[in-house]
Amino acid sequence: MIKNALLSLKKNIGKTILLFVIIVVITNLVIAGLSIQSATKKSMDQIRSSLGNDVTLSVDFRNMMKNRKPSEAVSNETSLTTTMADSLKDLKYVKNYNYQISTSANSNSISAVETASDNSNNQPEQASNQVDFTISANTTMKYLDSFTNNNYKLTKGRLLTTKDQNTNNCVIETNLASDNDLSVGDTFTITTTVNDEIITQELTIVGIYEIQSTNEIGSAHFNNPVNTIYTDLSIGQTLTGSSENITSAIYYLDDPENAEAFVELAKKKSDIDFDTFSLDANNRLYQQNASSLESMKSFAKMFVWIVVIAGSAILCLILALTIRNRYYEIGVLLSLGQSKVKIIAQQLIEVGLIAVVAFVISLGTGQLTSHYMGNMLESSSSSNVMQMGQKGDQPNDNQNQSDSNQQKNNTQTKENFLGNMMQGPSNQELDVSITGENVIQLAGVTAAICIVSIAVPAAYVLRLTPRQILSRKEG
C-alpha cells in the first residue's frame, strides 16, 4: 500500500502539491492559534502571581457608601475583629497571616521628620490638629510587601515577628532615627487620646529600616512613610483602646492561583457579612490586566475551530474531486477483490505522507506565524484599551483624583488596607513560543483533519458497488 501510495503521489504531482500547500497553511494557522492560547494562559498565570499570594479582609467602605440612603452617614461603629479574622486563618490554602492596625500618635520625646510640604501654606487649624506619626501595628513584619519587594530595607537590628507579641518593641525609619539621634536599644514614648483619656506608651527600638524607593517619600508628618513606626499588634490595640478591633487581616496563600478558591471557601465557611466586609484578592486588578488576554484567548480558540472546520471542508472537497477522477481505479481494485478497507487505507497513507512533511515544516514556519498573529492581536488589544481608557477617564475626573489622593495618603503598599489597590503589574510581551503540548495538540488536530477529509468522500464512493462505480467513471 505504501508503494502504491508513493506512486500515486508521484503520478498526480499537481494534486500532491495542492494538498501539501493547503495542509501547510492549515497546520501553520492551527499551531499559531494553539500557541497563542498557551501564551495567554501563561501570561494570565504570571499576572496572577505578580499580584501576590495575599488576600486582605477589611471593612468594605465602598460597598457601605453604595448601600447607604441619601444623606445617611456611614457608620463608624463597623469594625473588623480578631474573632472574625481568626475564622479564616485555618482554612485551606492559608499558609501564613498577619493582622494589622493602622492608627496615629504624637510624641513629646521625639520629633517627626519635616518635609517641604510641612512648610507650605497649610491652614493654622490643620497644623494644630496634625498628628506626627503613623503607627503600623502587625502580628508580624515578615511578610509585609514593602520589605519583601525591597522597597524598604532593614539596615540595623531586626524586624518584628510573632515572638514580639505583647512587647513594646518597634522598628523605625533611618531618617527618623538620625534626626532624633536614636539607635537600636533606645527607648522613646508616644501619646494618643482615647475616649478623652491620654495614653502614653513607651517603645523600644529593635530595628531600623531605610526607604529605597524615593517616590514613597512625601506628604506631611504622619502621611510621610519615614514617620511610620512599626509595632506589635498589642501596641495598636492599646493606642486604639480596643483589644478586639483591627484594621485588616492579610492571609498569605500557598499559591496565588488559589486566591479565588480561598475567597469562595471563606464565604462558604464563615459567618462574616461580606456586604459589610470584603476579601480583596486583587480580583479587580487581575480582571483589568487579564481582560484583554481573555479576549485574545477566546479569539484564538474560536480561530482554531474555524481553521479546523474550514480546512477539513476544503480537503474533503478536493479529495472528493480527486476520488471522482479515480472512479475507474477504485472500481477495478474492488472488482479484483481489493477490500474497501485497504483502498481507504491507501488514501489515508497518501494524505498522511503529505501531512507528515507539512507538519514538520509547520513546526518551523508556525513560530513565525504565531509571532505575527500575536503582535497583531497585542496591537489591536492595546489600541482598544487606550481608547476605552480615554473614554472612561473623562467623566470620572473627580473620582480618579480622589483615588489618587487616597493612594498618596497611604503609608505602605499592603500594610494599610487600602494601600496600593490601583497598582498592577507592567505589561509583558506575549510569549508565543511553541511548547511540547502545542506539538502534541497539532499532531492530533492534523490527524483528525486527515481522517475526516478522507472518510467523508470515501464513505460516499465506497458505498457503491463496483458496477456503479465503473458506470460513473466518465463522471
Side-chain angles (χ1 to χ4, degrees), residues 296 373-386:
M296 199 179 298
M373 288 187 61
N375 292 335
M376 182 176 65
L377 288 172
E378 279 187 313
S379 299
S380 175
S381 176
S382 299
S383 176
N384 290 337
V385 169
M386 289 178 63

Side-chain angles (χ1 to χ4, degrees), residues 62-363:
R62 179 175 298 180
N63 197 42
M64 291 173 64
M65 289 290 292
K66 186 191 302 182
N67 294 331
R68 73 186 181 94
K69 297 178 180 179
S71 303
E72 181 183 7
V74 178
S75 174
N76 292 323
E77 298 180 359
T78 302
S79 299
L80 178 65
T81 66
T82 53
T83 301
M84 296 179 190
D86 285 343
S87 67
L88 304 183
K89 70 178 183 179
D90 295 321
L91 290 180
K92 185 181 179 182
Y93 310 121
V94 177
K95 191 175 181 181
N96 294 290
Y97 67 93
N98 176 41
Y99 298 164
Q100 192 234 358
I101 295 174
S102 293
T103 187
S104 57
N106 291 305
S107 177
N108 294 323
S109 60
I110 62 172
S111 299
V113 176
E114 297 286 337
T115 62
S117 58
D118 294 332
N119 300 318
S120 60
N121 298 325
N122 292 329
Q123 297 179 2
E125 57 269 25
Q126 288 179 323
S128 62
N129 294 327
Q130 180 72 63
V131 291
D132 290 334
F133 303 101
T134 292
I135 306 300
S136 179
N138 297 272
T139 306
T140 176
M141 293 179 66
K142 183 177 180 180
Y143 309 106
L144 296 183
D145 283 0
S146 291
F147 292 92
T148 58
N149 63 20
N150 295 321
N151 283 340
Y152 296 179
K153 180 181 179 182
L154 184 70
T155 56
K156 295 179 182 178
R158 62 180 179 82
L159 299 179
L160 301 177
T161 67
T162 52
K163 294 181 180 179
D164 293 288
Q165 184 177 0
N166 297 320
T167 68
N168 65 342
N169 295 336
C170 73
V171 176
I172 64 174
E173 207 274 334
T174 183
N175 290 285
L176 180 61
S178 60
D179 279 16
N180 292 279
D181 196 24
L182 297 172
S183 60
V184 174
D186 290 345
T187 61
F188 62 92
T189 59
I190 56 175
T191 61
T192 190
T193 302
V194 178
N195 298 326
D196 296 326
E197 179 185 352
I198 297 177
I199 297 176
T200 300
Q201 176 67 53
E202 183 180 72
L203 299 177
T204 301
I205 301 170
V206 296
I208 296 175
Y209 69 94
E210 181 179 9
I211 297 177
Q212 303 291 301
S213 177
T214 55
N215 61 1
E216 300 248 3
I217 301 176
S219 299
H221 284 327
F222 80 102
N223 286 333
N224 192 338
V226 299
N227 292 319
T228 295
I229 301 173
Y230 290 90
T231 70
D232 174 58
L233 191 71
S234 60
I235 300 297
Q237 292 172 332
T238 298
L239 296 177
T240 56
S242 172
S243 60
E244 268 286 303
N245 296 345
I246 58 177
T247 303
S248 62
I250 305 173
Y251 303 94
Y252 301 93
L253 310 184
D254 53 1
D255 191 315
E257 293 190 13
N258 291 329
E260 293 185 13
F262 170 71
V263 172
E264 292 300 320
L265 183 64
K267 291 179 178 179
K268 186 180 299 183
K269 295 288 186 179
S270 71
D271 296 327
I272 298 174
D273 179 10
F274 286 103
D275 287 331
T276 305
F277 302 92
S278 67
L279 268 175
D280 177 23
N282 291 319
N283 286 338
R284 186 158 57 95
L285 289 177
Y286 178 74
Q287 293 300 328
Q288 287 174 349
N289 284 274
S291 59
S292 60
L293 291 174
E294 281 281 10
S295 299
M296 199 179 298
K297 183 179 179 181
S298 299
F299 172 81
K301 184 177 181 180
M302 180 178 66
F303 178 78
V304 170
W305 277 107
I306 291 174
V307 170
V308 170
I309 295 171
S312 299
I314 293 171
L315 285 177
C316 282
L317 178 61
I318 293 174
L319 291 171
L321 295 173
T322 302
I323 288 176
R324 285 191 58 173
N325 293 328
R326 299 175 66 178
Y327 274 180
Y328 182 76
E329 176 188 343
I330 295 172
V332 170
L333 290 174
L334 289 173
S335 299
L336 294 175
Q338 185 81 280
S339 69
K340 293 182 179 181
V341 174
K342 286 187 177 182
I343 294 175
I344 295 176
Q346 181 177 326
Q347 299 290 324
L348 281 173
I349 291 172
E350 291 178 16
V351 177
L353 290 173
I354 298 173
V356 168
V357 178
F359 173 82
V360 173
I361 292 176
S362 68
L363 294 180

Side-chain angles (χ1 to χ4, degrees), residues 419-468:
N420 212 28
M421 283 183 64
M422 297 304 295
Q423 294 183 7
S426 58
N427 292 328
Q428 299 178 353
E429 184 179 352
L430 197 66
D431 180 12
V432 292
S433 56
I434 298 173
T435 65
E437 183 181 0
N438 296 149
V439 174
I440 294 173
Q441 290 174 331
L442 177 62
V445 170
T446 304
I449 290 175
C450 292
I451 292 171
V452 170
S453 61
I454 284 292
V456 173
Y460 170 75
V461 173
L462 296 180
R463 68 185 178 85
L464 303 175
T465 64
R467 178 185 293 275
Q468 290 173 320

